[in-house]
Each structure stands twice: as C-alpha cells, then as structure tokens.
C-alpha cells in the first residue's frame, strides 16, 4: 500500500495546462478520492511535525491561473480566478469558450481569450478545469447565497459594474454566468457581505466609490447610498488606505465597517451609523494598499451568540506607498487589536505579532484558533511594492493570556505576497495559492516571480499521533425529508470516537469565505450548543445539537460542521441552515 500510495502522490504533483474531459480521467479522479482523501483526512500520510508547527504539501506545480481570488464551494471544489487583463495566463486552451480553435499562430498565442483566467480545483481529484469569464473581475468581491451560489461583484473596466454567478455542481459542467443586471456604481477594490434577510448582499466601497449598495435591488429605481465614513477615511495621497474595507455582520444584524484606522456600526435598514468606535491605537493604516487583515472571532452559544468581537492585525507604516516610489520599503505593522463591538464598552486591546506583517490572510481553524498566513514584512500592496516575504505562518490562540497567544509555525519556501490567497478545506488543511506582484505573468529577472504552485498547509492536529482522538464517520441526520435545518431547531449527528473525552467534545459551524487581497469576506464560526451526548459500546456517539437561533447570528447558507474532541477536529461535513419551511 505504501508503494502504491507513493505512486499516486507522484501523479498528484503535476503540471496542468489544458482541460481534460475524458472518461479515464473521471475514473482516475474517483479513484484518487476513494484512496487518498480518507488518508489525508485521517493524517495517515502526514509525518509527525516538529512539535506542533504543522507542515506543507505541494499539490500542483502549476494551476495555470494566479489564485488572486479563492472560494470553497459546498461541492468540495475551490474556485480560483485572476484578472483577464493580465493577458496570457499559463493555462492555454485548445478552444476558446465560443468554440473556435486556438492555434499556434502568433495572433492566437497573444490572444487572451485563448487562455483561462479562472479555474475550478477539484479537491479529491487534485486537478483543475478552466472556467469562462466574460468580463474582468480584477480586485472584486464575493459572497455565497443561501443555495450555495457564489455571487461575485465588480472588477475592472467593463467588469466594474458586473455581477457574476457561479452555482457549483458535481458533473464538472457548471460555469460562470454573468447577470443581466448591473451594479449602480463601479466597484473596484470593494468588499461584500451576505445579509440576514432576503438573500441579499451589501457591497461597500471601492476606488472612487464612497457608497454602498444592495444586490439584488428591491426595485428598478434603487440606487446606491452615500457613506460619508468612506470620504472621512480616504487618504487621497496614499492610495486610499480604505479600499477593501473590513466588513463583519454583528450578531445583532448590524454591519461593522473598518477602514484605514477607524470603524463604525451601520444600521442598513435605516441607513444610519449607530456607533462610532475608538480609533485603533498606533500609526499606519490597515486597509488597501496598506493591507492588514481582519477576522470576526468565533461566536459562542454560551452567551447566546451575543458577544461579537473583531480582530485586526498588521498593515503598512504611514507613508509606505510614497516611500516605495523612492525605492524604500518601510517596515510593516506588528500590532493586532481586538475589540468587542456588541454591548456598550468598546476598547481596543492590543497585542503584537512576532514580526511585522502585511498582505496576509487570517483564517479561523476548526479548533477556533486563527491562522495568519502569507504576506510580507515591508512595503505595501501594489505591483512590486513589497519586500521580505513572511514565510512563517502564525497561530493565534484567542483564549490564552496576553503575551502567550502567538505561535510561530513551520516555514514555507514559497513566497506568497501580493495577489495570493488561502482558504480552509473540509479535511482541515489550508489551501494556499497565488502571488503575482506584476501586471503580467512574469517568471524571470524579478524579485518575486508570478507564483502558480498550489500548496496545502497541514496543521499539527492532522498528525497521525492524534488519530485516536479524531472523530470520524461524521453524519448529519435530517428530519422530515428536508435537507436544511431551521433556526433554533434540534438535529442529530453521529460519529465514531476512539478515545472518549466527553467533557472536551465541542461542535462548530463555519461559513467559508471569499478570500482576496488579505480579507476573508463572510468568514464566520459558531460554537454550537450540544443538548445531549451518548456513546455506545462500539464507539458510536450520538449528539443532539441546536441550530443557531437566527439569520442575524448565521445567515442562511451552507456551513462546515465539525466535531472537536480534545482539541482534535473531525473532517467537516456540510450542513445548511435556513428558515424553517411552512
């Protein structure tokens, strides 16, 4: 088996340039799913890491397309896409999406329509297939709707007002569909957030867009709404420093917005700012092009999901963009701030990362800790504007005492700086892609070439030494023939457990984000209430869980449900929370 596995693993790490649609390849993909996925998820092919630092896997040598934007779908695929304006990607098509052949003529070799700019990555098959993009989604935003469709908004040029939809599937036939409806304003470097009601998304900000708007609109005449806060936080001579604002839906249904160094709580129903929070201490800025990152810490059933706390980490020093113009790369920010945005007492509690960091991603792991990954230590966002890659991820443990919360993890050898991204996978690994600080695909004679390799960071909890603690065979039981669980309703889950630690069994639900430009939009974790837990003699455990109480706490949609036993997570399974059907 070990020799057979080595052969399969070698097959996995390969260069992919052109799409394959033959039956043999479908059979191979299913074989890999059957053989490799259980091994990866159990940690059996993962060597024990040094201490608890984790390790890295190289999955593909070439995705063909820079993973500037990334999103995990509920069909266990990952959507990645770049800008169409980058010209020729490294994924050359045999045929254009309109059906015409791509030849070896000079015209076709230079024609960007003969190259893919978006791909779907099949996690189990470890391969990519090309997707069609009709307009440029460069520096755009995205949110998942309740049925699992990715609503993707904005971009550049003809794409700046466009809305694109991607409904994931299992037959490899789904593709991007461009909506006939458009945004009211151009949205380049904007952020989006799914809302509690009506399957609506709010899109906020963007370059020269000091407004927000809803998708879809309630009426044909509905326009955007002016947001003075975006004018107030705009550094005109520093590239804005308020682009890609950090958006977090508070558990009361109001929208938290952080831009530059300041933040507000916005009541979208009344178009009214109901709170203005203290400025985060220290100099420098946190949003694009300073490009720190932010996360909403896990919401917990123990306080009825009422406590909402956000965290902002890293960014660029004051004057970083101007300094780059003169050939100087200023050191980034080390500081992180945490603030409770619910209640009435709002104060930033500051902490410090081991090193300065910008251009990084912040992801919530199944154990509730925060992974800080990718990035640089000097400069700011933009083409060739950063230096000194941050190769070591950090693990942030929110519940440890101040000064003991950061752990330095195993270093990668691949720089992931501007236009890189990362996302959590159902098996507990973190997928890492992209990196291109150039306007074109550039591989030679530059400090940081275009990066097309696909990696997974494997956290320590996947080591085989924890296999006896890892819950397995997780299944979710739906009642009444419905495949969605209503708010506040009870539901049962079953799983196998080797070593029983009943007082340390916990359950979480995680909304996967749309990640780009150092911000994981719509990311959300809920620690669910367990009402009863029973274990039989053969190791099977049945738990009765309670769904989140409302869409303010958990907007309707698909979540990854995970069992955590003694700090070791199961492989996650998808669950859908929605309004109960009449």
């Amino acid at each position: 088996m070990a020799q057979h596995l080595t052969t399969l693993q070698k097959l996995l790490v390969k260069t992919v340039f052109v799409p394959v649609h033959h039956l043999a390849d479908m059979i191979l993909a299913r074989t890999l799913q059957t053989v490799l996925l259980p091994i990866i998820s159990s940690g059996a092919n993962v060597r024990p890491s040094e201490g608890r630092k984790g390790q890295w896997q190289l999955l593909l040598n070439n995705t063909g397309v820079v993973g500037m934007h990334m999103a995990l779908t509920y069909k266990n695929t990952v959507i990645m896409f770049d800008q169409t304006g980058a010209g020729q990607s490294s994924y050359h098509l045999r045929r254009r999406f309109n059906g015409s052949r791509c030849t070896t003529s000079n015209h076709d070799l230079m024609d960007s329509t003969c190259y893919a700019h978006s791909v779907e990555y099949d996690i189990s098959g470890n391969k990519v297939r090309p997707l069609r993009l009709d307009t440029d989604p460069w520096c755009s935003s995205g949110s998942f709707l309740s049925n699992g469709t990715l609503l993707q908004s904005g971009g550049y040029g003809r794409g700046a007002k466009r809305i694109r939809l991607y409904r994931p599937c299992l037959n490899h036939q789904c593709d991007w569909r461009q909506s006939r409806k458009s945004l009211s304003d151009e949205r380049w470097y904007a952020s989006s957030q799914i809302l509690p009601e009506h399957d609506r998304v709010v899109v906020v900000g963007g370059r020269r867009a000091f407004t927000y708007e809803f998708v879809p609109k309630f009426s044909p005449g509905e326009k955007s709404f002016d947001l003075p806060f975006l004018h107030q936080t705009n550094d005109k001579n520093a590239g804005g420093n308020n682009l890609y604002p950090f958006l977090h839906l508070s558990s009361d249904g109001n929208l938290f917005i952080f831009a530059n160094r300041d933040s507000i709580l916005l009541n979208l129903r009344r178009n009214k700012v109901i709170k203005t929070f203290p400025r985060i201490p220290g100099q420098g800025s946190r949003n694009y092009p300073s490009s720190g990152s932010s996360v909403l810490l896990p919401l917990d059933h123990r306080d009825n999901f009422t406590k909402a706390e956000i965290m902002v980490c890293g960014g660029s020093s004051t004057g970083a963009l101007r300094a780059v113009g003169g050939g100087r790369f200023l050191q980034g920010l080390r500081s992180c701030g945490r603030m409770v945005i619910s209640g009435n007492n709002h104060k930033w509690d500051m902490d410090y990362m081991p090193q300065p960091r910008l251009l990084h991603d912040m992801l919530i792991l199944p154990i509730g800790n925060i992974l800080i990954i990718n990035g640089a230590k000097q400069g700011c966002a933009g083409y060739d504007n950063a230096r000194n890659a941050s190769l070591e991820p950090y693990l942030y443990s929110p519940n440890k005492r101040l000064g003991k919360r950061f752990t330095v993890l195993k270093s990668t050898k691949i720089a992931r700086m501007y236009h890189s991204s990362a996302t959590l996978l159902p098996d507990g690994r973190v997928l890492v892609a992209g990196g291109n600080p150039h306007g074109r695909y550039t591989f030679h004679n530059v400090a940081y070439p275009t990066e097309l390799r696909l990696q997974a960071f494997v956290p320590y909890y996947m080591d085989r030494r924890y296999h006896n603690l890892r819950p397995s065979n997780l299944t979710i039981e739906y009642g009444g023939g419905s495949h969605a669980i209503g708010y506040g309703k009870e539901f049962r889950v079953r799983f196998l457990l080797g070593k029983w630690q009943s007082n340390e069994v916990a359950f979480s639900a995680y909304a996967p984000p749309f990640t780009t430009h150092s911000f994981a939009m719509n990311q959300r974790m809920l620690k669910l209430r367990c009402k009863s837990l029973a274990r039989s003699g053969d190791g099977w455990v049945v738990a009765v869980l309670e769904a989140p109480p409302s869409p303010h706490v958990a907007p309707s949609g698909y979540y990854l449900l995970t069992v955590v036993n003694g700090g070791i997570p199961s492989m996650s399974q998808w669950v859908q929370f929605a309004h109960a059907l009449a």
Side-chain angles (χ1 to χ4, degrees):
M1 174 62 186
Q3 184 176 1
H4 179 56
L5 177 60
T6 302
T7 303
L8 284 173
Q9 286 176 313
K10 288 179 180 178
L11 283 172
L12 285 176
V13 184
K14 58 186 178 182
T15 303
V16 177
F17 289 102
V18 295
V20 183
H21 300 290
H22 299 299
L23 179 61
D25 298 280
M26 295 177 65
I27 294 172
L28 174 61
R30 295 199 178 278
T31 301
L32 291 171
Q33 179 178 9
T34 303
V35 175
L36 287 183
L37 192 57
I39 295 171
I40 291 172
S41 63
S42 70
N45 74 326
V46 178
R47 299 183 308 276
S49 60
E50 179 187 344
R52 292 161 70 94
K53 291 188 175 184
Q55 60 180 284
W56 289 87
Q57 294 175 333
L58 177 63
L59 301 177
L60 293 174
N61 277 318
N62 192 337
T63 57
V65 170
V66 170
M68 183 193 301
H69 314 78
M70 184 186 291
L72 169 70
T73 80
Y74 76 103
K75 297 295 187 181
N76 290 333
T77 58
V78 177
I79 306 305
M80 294 184 281
F81 57 96
D82 192 12
Q83 55 176 315
T84 62
Q88 306 99 311
S89 71
S90 288
Y91 198 133
H92 189 259
L93 300 171
R94 293 193 180 111
R95 290 187 179 273
R96 296 175 178 86
F97 288 105
N98 64 10
S100 62
R101 280 191 71 228
C102 289
T103 69
T104 56
S105 68
N106 287 335
H107 175 271
D108 283 6
L109 290 175
M110 297 297 292
D111 183 3
S112 66
T113 66
C114 279
Y115 297 84
H117 303 283
S118 176
V119 295
E120 178 193 72
Y121 173 66
D122 182 340
I123 299 171
S124 62
N126 195 50
K127 62 181 181 179
V128 296
R129 69 178 180 93
L131 300 175
R132 174 177 185 161
L133 280 172
D134 293 311
T135 53
D136 197 344
W138 178 23
C139 302
S140 53
S141 59
S143 300
F144 283 105
L145 303 179
S146 62
N147 66 354
T149 295
L150 177 62
L151 187 151
Q152 206 273 318
S153 50
Y156 180 72
R158 291 193 308 113
K161 286 189 175 184
R162 303 307 307 196
I163 299 168
R164 306 166 196 88
L165 300 166
Y166 185 84
R167 181 72 185 270
C169 62
L170 290 175
N171 62 6
H172 307 300
Q173 299 300 311
C174 40
D175 213 330
W176 286 106
R177 177 174 63 86
Q178 189 158 275
S179 173
R180 294 179 181 178
K181 297 182 179 179
S182 298
L183 298 166
S184 297
D185 298 340
E186 293 187 350
R187 301 290 175 186
W188 191 29
Y189 299 95
S191 298
S192 67
Q193 171 66 50
I194 187 68
L195 298 177
E197 296 98 3
H198 311 296
D199 226 11
R200 285 184 114 193
V201 168
V202 64
V203 188
V204 180
R207 195 176 292 281
R208 296 178 295 276
F210 305 98
T211 60
Y212 67 91
E213 63 182 282
F214 298 100
V215 180
K217 305 284 191 288
F218 276 158
S219 63
E222 184 180 324
K223 301 295 183 183
S224 62
F225 298 83
D226 187 58
L227 187 57
F229 173 73
L230 294 178
H231 290 279
Q232 297 159 9
T233 54
N234 181 36
D235 286 346
K236 295 180 181 179
N237 299 319
N241 278 333
N242 67 348
L243 302 176
Y244 275 123
F246 303 144
L247 307 182
H248 299 295
L249 182 69
S250 181
S251 55
D252 61 5
N254 292 309
L255 185 68
F256 175 85
I257 308 176
F258 184 103
N260 201 330
R261 292 187 291 162
D262 297 315
S263 52
I264 59 173
L265 194 66
L266 179 64
N267 184 313
L268 292 169
R269 289 183 175 181
R270 297 159 55 194
N271 185 31
K272 183 178 180 180
V273 175
I274 58 175
K275 285 184 183 179
T276 299
F277 296 101
R279 172 171 287 181
I280 192 169
Q283 299 300 309
S285 299
R286 309 287 180 161
N287 295 85
Y288 186 94
S290 290
S291 294
S293 190
S294 177
V295 69
L296 172 69
L297 295 179
L299 302 173
D300 200 317
H301 72 87
R302 288 175 293 185
D303 58 27
N304 294 317
F305 304 102
T306 57
K307 180 182 177 182
E309 185 175 9
I310 61 94
M311 182 176 178
V312 176
C313 280
S316 296
S317 295
T318 303
L321 183 63
R322 182 177 299 177
V324 164
R328 295 184 301 121
F329 299 89
L330 301 184
Q331 182 172 283
L333 304 182
R334 282 184 59 208
S335 61
C336 292
R338 282 172 59 171
M339 180 173 63
V340 177
I341 62 173
S342 52
N344 298 310
N345 184 21
H346 309 297
K347 176 181 176 294
W348 287 101
D349 293 318
M350 304 305 292
D351 203 347
Y352 294 88
M353 295 183 287
Q355 295 286 332
R357 205 165 193 136
L358 57 133
L359 302 174
H360 53 280
D361 293 285
M362 294 176 68
L363 297 172
I364 309 173
L365 296 180
I367 55 177
N369 292 346
I370 311 302
L371 180 72
I372 301 175
I373 197 166
N374 299 341
K377 298 175 185 176
Q378 294 172 282
C380 63
Y383 291 140
D384 202 31
N385 283 355
R387 291 292 185 273
N388 199 356
S390 296
L391 301 176
E392 296 172 321
Y394 301 149
L395 185 69
Y396 178 82
S397 303
N399 297 325
K400 289 187 177 180
R401 64 183 178 88
L402 190 66
K404 299 292 184 180
R405 294 172 179 164
F406 286 101
T407 304
V408 178
L409 304 179
K410 185 170 183 178
S411 175
T412 179
K413 297 179 180 179
I414 300 176
R416 303 284 185 180
M417 298 170 69
Y418 189 47
H419 287 167
S420 64
S421 58
T423 196
L424 180 69
L425 297 179
D427 61 19
R429 295 175 299 162
V430 175
L431 194 69
V432 180
N436 187 19
H438 314 286
R440 314 284 286 188
Y441 282 50
T442 307
F443 301 100
H444 305 289
N445 303 318
V446 290
Y448 296 98
T450 301
E451 185 54 68
L452 296 174
R453 284 172 288 183
L454 184 68
Q455 291 175 287
F457 176 72
V458 186
Y460 72 89
Y461 52 65
M462 296 186 71
D463 282 0
R464 70 178 70 139
R465 57 182 148 164
Y466 300 117
H467 184 56
N468 64 329
L469 288 173
R470 192 178 323 282
S472 61
N473 294 70
L474 173 62
T475 58
I476 302 166
E477 298 181 2
Y478 296 91
S482 172
H483 291 288
I485 298 172
Y487 290 109
K489 301 295 184 181
E490 292 183 359
F491 65 102
R492 289 169 28 124
V493 299
R494 287 169 48 87
F495 53 94
L496 275 171
L497 204 54
K499 189 174 180 181
W500 172 248
Q501 294 186 254
S502 60
N503 61 328
E504 294 189 38
V505 176
F507 302 84
S508 66
Y510 176 77
F514 175 91
T515 59
T516 188
H517 289 78
S518 304
F519 183 43
M521 303 177 197
N522 304 278
Q523 180 176 219
R524 200 173 194 84
M525 177 172 281
L526 314 167
K527 295 185 177 181
L528 299 180
R529 176 176 282 110
C530 177
K531 305 192 79 171
S532 68
L533 198 64
R535 184 174 188 256
S536 61
D538 57 2
W540 281 100
V541 179
V542 176
V544 176
L545 307 183
E546 185 176 277
S550 74
H552 290 158
V553 171
S556 296
Y558 285 91
Y559 291 73
L560 286 172
L561 182 74
T562 310
V563 186
V564 181
N565 178 45
I568 304 303
S570 68
M571 184 172 178
S572 303
Q573 297 294 333
W574 291 100
V575 62
Q576 187 181 21
F577 296 126
H579 292 281
L581 298 176

